Amino acid sequence: MASLESEETFEDYWKQVCRLFPILCHENREQLKSECPVDELGIMQSIVNQGQDEFVEQLVINEIETKLRRDVVPAFWQHFTIEESRCSSSDAFKEAVDSLFDSLTSIVPVLRTLVFLRQTAQSERLLFGHSSLMESFKVMVRSSLHSQLPLNYQAVTEDFYRISFKVFCNSESKDSDQNESTEDILQCAGCNQEVDLCQCQAIIKAFHETNGKLQELDLLERLAGDVLTTLIHKRIESHVQETCTGSFDVSHIGSLEVWLDTVVMGWLSRIYSSGSLGFQESENKACVSSSETLSKMKQTLRHFLYETYTRTRIDQLFNIIIEYPDSEPAVEDLRICLQKTDMRKHLTQKLQRALETRLLHPGVNTPDILTAYVAAIRALRTLDPSGVLLDTVTQPVRQYLRWRDDTVRCVVTSLTEDGPSDLAEELSRGEALQLDDLTPSEEDTKNWESWNPDPVDADPSKTSQSRRTSDIISMLVNVYGSKDLFVNEYRTLLADRLLSSLNYNTEKEIRYLELLKLRFGESQLHYCEVMLKDIYDSKRINTYLHSDSNFNLDNQEFAITAMILSAQFWPHFNKETLELPEFVQEHLNTYTKAFETQKGNRTLSWKPQLGSVNLDIELKDRKINLTVSPIHATIIWHFQSKNQWTIEELSQIMHAPATLVRRKITYWQSQGFLHEIAPDSFELVEESGPRVKGHIPSDIVCDDEETESAMASAQEQREEELQVFWSYIVGMLTNLDSLPLDRILQMLKMFALQTPTTIECSLQELRHFLDRKVAEEKLLFYGGVYRLPKS
């Protein structure tokens, strides 16, 4: 660096530098040059010759940075603290950008002069590395802005873009519906002003100008990027909620994608479209940069749209399942979204919680739970054909159904009911039952080219084929893992139906049996075939006995027809007892002798509590014909001998529990034949009062307060089966003194006789059975072993 010869020379030299860069002269700070005059090229050459070009450039840069931090930036942020009484937040943001742009534009001539100085020096050294002077200036602007960033600036920025987005959406809706009448519209939906005072055009114009200036200054992403992202995310979430709430029968994926491309991306493209105002060194480069930014934002926003839509549908998934198959479009949309988003775990957790809180509690009936479970099987198989999602989500449902006592009966009832039923339709398909342990079918080997591995969250203990099956009945049977339980429940239900019909009509039951044989196999349902054959044989035997004059059955006081059942093939009956009137028992004995005469070495064991009785009841003022159960007929028959009976007297003479007699006698009370004159004491009503007289029908069929099963309950049957084991257990402990639980179970499996209807006893079930015997003081348990008590 050359030294200056005198003070005067230095002052003259400094004046020339300030003339070239007025920003350095504090007295003439406002007089900034708009261009470098030709006569000042000599000054630049002089600076270069003196070797002061880098020093002067540093002085100018420092002065520019000082001006930014002291004047320009504080003035810009001052607009974000302006009071609402002076102007709106939207106007404040526009004024702030305008003032910033004007201030920075005034510095541009100084930067250009520096460029000329560099060119004069013909130097390749750059003060700020290899970046251009304009880019270095933008870095200074951004750093100065962020160094003084206020806390509440986003509220003003968000208000500006929210209003502009609302105006843009309103203008787009007008363009898409030009034929809509606007005569009745008093307020603009965009700016919320009266139609005559609409400010939409002014807002759009300010919107474009402001974004253009921010884009030129390379501040759009820095100042408004987070605000834009938050605003668009909120708008996407609200639009998805408005579009999809309660609508399951229409697919919305396509319309949401179109809305995103036209409305959201259309608005963003207008934000990032800008003209060249002097700060962009290359307009083509700026256009390429904006295009890349929009492309990345489109991918990000589309992924966010899918996530938002997926989350919304997951929140609605329980209702979607209940309404399936009407909601199939929503399920298909969710299937597509799950392929694009990683939300399977969220879906599983959310749906499991919904099932547990809304379905799996005592307030919901078992048939309703089964209906929802069947709908879930169908919907989730559409959602995930691999079956992994279904297997995971419905695990709590299967456990809960296994806990309910009436699950199997409800399933079997749905399979064979006359009305519309999903399970009845599934049964009519005639497919073979598939359990979890089956090997892959031939159909799987044929479609090997389209095979896909199971998802990573699949249970490795289950085969792929067992999960992929769409057989609903198999899924229900797999809740218990055994066909025997369902077959036995069907036998009980079939027995109830056959004994309650009393008309020997078995065509419908034969049809159901043939369909069930396709599912469960003929060997499993052999007993049911024998039961239906018993009904057919009973009709034939009754016809024969009544037609043979040797038996003289038609000449009796009343005719008897019987259902003759093979005891070893039918389920266990209730243990209720009933003593019929003596003259009725004589008629039954006559029928038994006639049967023995025909069959030789076979006889009949009557179940007097079952069947029906046709009665003619004649009182003083009325004669009525009814069809009732034997116990109802026996109760009213005893009032023929005397008019008053107590519950205890009827219980003793009928050999029936008093509680049963008390429950059955209420039927005759409701019909007006008996009157309770004292607690548990009843009197026959010979004459009906004025209110009742003339209103009792001549033919009545007994409709008891509830339909009671003639068969023993599953628990009662199981108790009786376990009682068979008791004699074996007593023999074991008599010979071996004491045994642990597992040893007792092993010996039962070796020696206990298993009938076809007996379910194998599990360790847990045997423990409960032995614990009951301990409570009854029939067994002792000490030291982990069971022993018989010493007498």
Side-chain angles (χ1 to χ4, degrees):
M1 180 183 297
S3 61
L4 297 176
E5 297 180 354
S6 65
E7 183 177 353
E8 182 180 359
T9 304
F10 176 77
E11 292 179 355
D12 294 339
Y13 179 75
W14 179 248
K15 290 180 179 179
Q16 292 178 359
V17 173
C18 290
R19 182 183 175 191
L20 187 63
F21 299 103
I23 194 173
L24 297 175
C25 183
H26 296 282
E27 291 80 4
N28 301 321
R29 184 178 298 275
E30 302 300 329
Q31 301 176 2
L32 299 180
K33 298 177 61 66
S34 60
E35 61 181 11
C36 182
V38 177
D39 58 355
E40 292 183 356
L41 294 176
I43 300 176
M44 293 184 186
Q45 189 65 44
S46 175
I47 294 174
V48 173
N49 292 338
Q50 295 292 332
Q52 301 293 327
D53 54 304
E54 292 185 0
F55 176 72
V56 171
E57 183 175 329
Q58 186 63 50
L59 287 176
V60 174
I61 294 297
N62 289 339
E63 193 64 30
I64 291 175
E65 188 172 3
T66 301
K67 179 179 177 64
L68 290 174
R69 293 181 179 275
R70 186 178 58 193
D71 301 329
V72 177
V73 172
F76 173 75
W77 289 127
Q78 185 64 30
H79 290 82
F80 290 79
T81 59
I82 195 167
E83 298 180 357
E84 294 184 1
S85 58
R86 294 179 56 187
C87 64
S88 65
S89 298
S90 177
D91 295 335
F93 184 78
K94 180 183 180 303
E95 291 180 2
V97 174
D98 289 343
S99 66
L100 178 64
F101 188 82
D102 294 339
S103 299
L104 297 180
T105 302
S106 65
I107 304 176
V108 171
V110 179
L111 297 174
R112 290 176 180 172
T113 304
L114 282 179
V115 173
F116 292 153
L117 179 61
R118 286 186 176 185
Q119 292 175 352
T120 303
Q122 297 180 354
S123 174
E124 296 181 357
R125 293 176 291 107
L126 299 178
L127 185 61
F128 293 92
H130 295 284
S131 61
S132 66
L133 197 58
M134 189 63 70
E135 291 298 325
S136 301
F137 173 69
K138 290 181 179 180
V139 171
M140 282 192 296
V141 173
R142 291 196 295 268
S143 62
S144 299
L145 287 171
H146 287 126
S147 66
Q148 302 180 33
L149 193 70
L151 296 177
N152 60 342
Y153 84 98
Q154 288 186 339
V156 177
T157 308
E158 182 179 357
D159 189 56
F160 173 79
Y161 284 102
R162 185 180 66 253
I163 294 174
S164 64
F165 188 48
K166 184 178 180 182
V167 171
F168 175 77
C169 293
N170 182 55
S171 62
E172 289 292 318
S173 63
K174 288 182 178 179
D175 295 339
S176 62
D177 191 10
Q178 297 179 357
N179 296 326
E180 183 181 1
S181 175
T182 59
E183 295 180 356
D184 297 334
I185 300 178
L186 301 178
Q187 188 177 18
C188 176
C191 60
N192 293 331
Q193 299 290 332
E194 295 183 3
V195 176
D196 297 337
L197 302 176
C198 180
Q199 300 293 322
C200 289
Q201 292 301 321
I203 292 175
I204 293 175
K205 181 180 178 181
F207 170 75
H208 287 297
E209 292 177 355
T210 304
N211 288 312
K213 292 176 181 179
L214 289 175
Q215 187 76 352
E216 288 291 331
L217 297 173
D218 201 14
L219 292 175
L220 183 59
E221 284 291 331
R222 276 76 178 181
L223 289 179
D226 292 341
V227 174
L228 287 174
T229 301
T230 303
L231 179 63
I232 292 175
H233 283 184
K234 290 181 180 178
R235 189 67 186 92
I236 289 176
E237 290 173 350
S238 62
H239 183 75
V240 169
Q241 289 290 339
E242 293 170 1
T243 304
C244 307
T245 301
S247 176
F248 305 145
D249 56 349
V250 178
S251 175
H252 294 289
I253 285 291
S255 61
L256 289 175
E257 289 179 345
V258 171
W259 174 81
L260 181 68
D261 293 340
T262 56
V263 178
V264 177
M265 294 309 302
W267 182 62
L268 286 176
S269 64
R270 296 194 181 188
I271 292 177
Y272 284 90
S273 61
S274 61
S276 179
L277 301 177
F279 288 91
Q280 296 288 355
E281 294 186 350
S282 174
E283 185 174 353
N284 292 332
K285 182 179 179 181
C287 293
V288 171
S289 177
S290 298
S291 178
E292 293 177 353
T293 301
L294 286 173
S295 179
K296 292 179 181 178
M297 292 187 69
K298 182 176 181 179
Q299 294 178 1
T300 304
L301 291 177
R302 177 159 293 197
H303 185 267
F304 180 78
L305 175 68
Y306 278 113
E307 280 192 343
T308 304
Y309 183 66
T310 304
R311 198 176 300 277
T312 302
R313 283 310 192 202
I314 289 176
D315 293 340
Q316 303 167 346
L317 189 52
F318 181 84
N319 294 331
I320 291 174
I321 288 175
I322 297 300
E323 295 186 16
Y324 193 85
D326 294 336
S327 60
E328 187 172 1
V331 176
E332 189 64 25
D333 279 356
L334 187 55
R335 183 185 67 82
I336 296 173
C337 290
L338 286 178
Q339 296 173 356
K340 300 178 182 292
T341 58
D342 186 20
M343 301 186 69
R344 284 175 62 95
K345 184 177 180 181
H346 175 69
L347 184 148
T348 302
Q349 296 174 348
K350 191 79 174 181
L351 184 55
Q352 279 186 339
R353 286 196 298 268
L355 290 173
E356 291 173 357
T357 56
R358 301 181 61 179
L359 193 67
L360 306 183
H361 57 83
V364 183
N365 295 326
T366 302
D368 296 332
I369 298 178
L370 289 173
T371 301
Y373 182 49
V374 170
I377 293 175
R378 292 179 171 176
L380 294 180
R381 286 210 177 278
T382 301
L383 185 62
D384 178 27
S386 68
V388 175
L389 197 59
L390 170 64
D391 185 65
T392 305
V393 169
T394 59
Q395 179 65 24
V397 182
R398 295 193 296 272
Q399 293 178 350
Y400 189 79
L401 287 174
R402 191 182 300 117
W403 171 77
R404 284 224 173 181
D405 296 334
D406 59 340
T407 299
V408 180
R409 173 164 285 265
C410 290
V411 172
V412 176
T413 302
S414 298
L415 285 173
T416 57
E417 64 184 4
D418 294 333
S421 170
D422 293 334
L423 295 182
E425 294 177 1
E426 192 74 17
L427 179 64
S428 63
R429 296 181 182 178
E431 300 176 1
L433 187 69
Q434 300 176 357
L435 295 179
D436 285 341
D437 55 354
L438 292 181
T439 58
S441 62
E442 295 181 359
E443 184 177 356
D444 296 330
T445 59
K446 292 179 181 178
N447 298 331
W448 62 272
E449 293 181 345
S450 60
W451 176 85
N452 287 317
D454 288 335
V456 294
D457 55 343
D459 186 358
S461 64
K462 296 185 178 181
T463 63
S464 174
Q465 189 271 341
S466 65
R467 283 191 297 266
R468 294 174 186 271
T469 177
S470 59
D471 183 11
I472 297 176
I473 298 179
S474 299
M475 294 288 295
L476 292 172
V477 173
N478 285 332
V479 169
Y480 293 89
S482 172
K483 297 184 289 186
D484 295 337
L485 193 62
F486 284 83
V487 172
N488 290 335
E489 189 63 41
Y490 172 68
R491 288 178 60 236
T492 302
L493 182 64
L494 177 62
D496 280 334
R497 288 180 173 177
L498 294 177
L499 294 178
S500 61
S501 63
L502 302 177
N503 56 8
Y504 305 108
N505 187 3
T506 60
E507 293 181 1
K508 182 180 68 174
E509 301 300 338
I510 291 175
R511 175 179 174 273
Y512 286 132
L513 178 61
E514 294 299 322
L515 291 174
L516 289 171
K517 284 165 64 177
L518 295 176
R519 290 277 179 173
F520 296 93
E522 293 192 13
S523 59
Q524 296 281 342
L525 295 165
H526 173 66
Y527 281 22
C528 297
E529 285 187 295
V530 175
M531 292 165 59
L532 291 173
K533 186 176 182 299
D534 285 344
I535 302 303
Y536 174 79
D537 292 342
S538 298
K539 181 178 180 180
R540 179 177 53 82
I541 293 173
N542 274 288
T543 302
Y544 173 75
L545 295 180
H546 282 276
S547 62
D548 194 334
S549 58
N550 295 326
F551 301 132
N552 198 28
L553 294 180
D554 289 341
N555 295 329
Q556 298 290 329
E557 185 177 357
F558 57 88
I560 293 179
T561 58
M563 279 191 178
I564 303 171
L565 314 179
S566 303
Q568 66 271 28
F569 292 96
W570 284 68
H572 298 282
F573 292 92
N574 286 330
K575 295 183 179 180
E576 294 180 359
T577 58
L578 177 64
E579 182 74 21
L580 296 176
E582 184 177 353
F583 81 101
V584 176
Q585 190 62 48
E586 292 176 357
H587 284 67
L588 297 181
N589 294 336
T590 303
Y591 190 96
T592 301
K593 292 179 181 178
F595 177 81
E596 292 174 347
T597 301
Q598 182 193 15
K599 294 296 182 179
N601 59 348
R602 298 174 63 185
T603 187
L604 298 177
S605 176
W606 292 91
K607 298 291 183 182
Q609 73 274 16
L610 304 180
S612 64
V613 180
N614 185 266
L615 294 178
D616 287 325
I617 300 179
E618 185 175 354
L619 300 173
K620 290 183 178 181
D621 60 345
R622 59 196 186 277
K623 183 179 181 181
I624 302 172
N625 178 266
L626 305 97
T627 299
V628 296
S629 67
I631 189 169
H632 286 100
T634 304
I635 290 173
I636 198 66
W637 184 86
H638 283 292
F639 280 88
Q640 184 174 250
S641 58
K642 67 175 184 176
N643 288 345
Q644 293 184 11
W645 288 86
T646 64
I647 294 295
E648 186 62 29
E649 291 172 343
L650 289 173
S651 175
Q652 292 178 359
I653 196 172
M654 294 170 58
H655 296 279
T659 55
L660 178 64
V661 175
R662 185 69 180 86
R663 190 171 73 250
K664 297 297 182 180
I665 206 172
T666 56
Y667 169 74
W668 295 114
Q669 283 184 272
S670 65
Q671 297 298 326
F673 290 99
L674 298 180
H675 174 62
E676 189 171 9
I677 57 177
D680 291 341
S681 180
F682 295 86
E683 181 183 35
L684 180 66
V685 179
E686 289 282 355
E687 298 184 37
S688 60
R691 183 177 58 87
V692 181
K693 186 175 182 180
H695 292 282
I696 298 180
S698 59
D699 294 319
I700 301 177
V701 177
C702 176
D703 184 13
D704 206 351
E705 64 273 7
E706 59 181 4
T707 303
E708 298 181 358
S709 174
M711 303 295 108
S713 65
Q715 183 177 359
E716 292 173 345
Q717 294 184 42
R718 191 57 181 156
E719 287 289 338
E720 186 172 344
E721 291 168 357
L722 292 177
Q723 281 299 131
V724 176
F725 297 149
W726 176 241
S727 60
Y728 291 92
I729 295 172
V730 171
M732 296 176 198
L733 297 178
T734 301
N735 296 327
L736 301 176
D737 186 51
S738 63
L739 288 172
L741 178 65
D742 55 351
R743 181 59 177 164
I744 294 176
L745 181 61
Q746 292 177 2
M747 296 185 70
L748 284 176
K749 291 180 178 179
M750 293 174 59
F751 302 110
L753 298 176
Q754 298 290 328
T755 65
T757 59
T758 303
I759 304 174
E760 184 178 357
C761 181
S762 64
L763 185 67
Q764 188 71 17
E765 194 174 19
L766 180 61
R767 178 184 289 111
H768 290 321
F769 176 73
L770 295 180
D771 289 345
R772 285 195 298 271
K773 293 300 181 181
V774 172
E776 296 171 2
E777 298 182 355
K778 295 181 180 180
L779 276 181
L780 297 177
F781 181 73
Y782 180 77
V785 296
Y786 292 91
R787 65 180 71 242
L788 294 173
K790 295 182 180 180
S791 56

